[in-house]
Amino acid sequence: YLSGILHDIGSFIDARKHHKHSYYVIRNSQIPGISEKETDIIAAVARYHRKAPPRSSHPEYMNLDRNSKVVVATLAAILRVADALDHSHQFKFKNADFRIDGHQLIISCRQQVDCSIERIFLEFKGSMFYRVMDLKAVIA
């Protein structure tokens, strides 16, 4: 939840590399009620919500324990899909329906709106979701 809320906070520093700045801001913040380990996870999920997936050359990922790495990869993959669905910031998928059919996560928008831009960004950002979850996210 917190990664979803905070993932774009780095945009206030630099829009082009905001994911890296989001990591830094979150990692160096003290969020009441959140442990240092949880902060590491929240920051890493925000870090990987765009561009490169976690890699062994990334110290912020390699410093996590095995279970935390799985959590980060899973939540970052989900956040990428959510971020693609909210690309226009018009809440087009606020009341969406989700269902699994085979190896597809089918996302249906209840509103009669143009979802072309979200389809493009979902195609671009959905590859990590497919690798992690073995499901291709598609907009019906």
Side-chain angles (χ1 to χ4, degrees):
Y1 176 79
L2 286 174
S3 295
I5 297 295
L6 298 172
H7 73 280
D8 282 338
I9 198 166
S11 297
F12 292 102
I13 298 169
D14 181 2
R16 289 182 328 208
K17 295 182 180 179
H18 78 273
H19 57 295
K20 293 178 180 180
H21 294 293
S22 292
Y23 172 84
Y24 178 83
V25 170
I26 295 166
R27 182 62 196 91
N28 291 287
S29 298
Q30 292 181 343
I31 305 170
I34 304 299
S35 71
E36 186 173 342
K37 180 179 178 178
E38 291 167 329
T39 300
D40 289 342
I41 292 170
I42 293 164
V45 171
R47 160 70 171 89
Y48 293 111
H49 86 277
R50 70 183 294 259
K51 292 213 174 189
R55 294 197 174 124
S56 59
S57 62
H58 298 161
E60 60 268 24
Y61 183 70
M62 293 311 295
N63 291 335
L64 298 171
D65 63 50
R66 185 175 184 201
N67 289 337
S68 295
K69 287 177 184 176
V70 171
V71 169
V72 166
T74 302
L75 293 178
I78 293 168
L79 183 55
R80 284 177 182 224
V81 169
D83 202 40
L85 295 178
D86 190 42
H87 185 76
S88 66
H89 301 292
Q90 294 178 354
F91 304 103
K92 293 179 184 179
F93 292 88
K94 184 176 181 180
N95 295 312
D97 291 316
F98 297 83
R99 67 182 170 86
I100 295 175
D101 185 5
H103 286 279
Q104 287 189 327
L105 171 66
I106 301 172
I107 306 160
S108 302
C109 180
R110 293 183 185 172
Q111 303 175 42
Q112 295 296 329
V113 293
D114 180 16
C115 297
S116 301
I117 193 77
E118 288 79 10
R119 279 188 180 89
I120 291 167
F121 278 87
L122 185 58
E123 188 67 33
F124 174 69
K125 295 185 86 167
S127 60
M128 185 173 166
F129 186 82
Y130 181 74
R131 283 192 308 276
V132 172
M133 308 294 275
D134 195 28
L135 292 170
K136 179 175 173 72
V138 295
I139 298 172

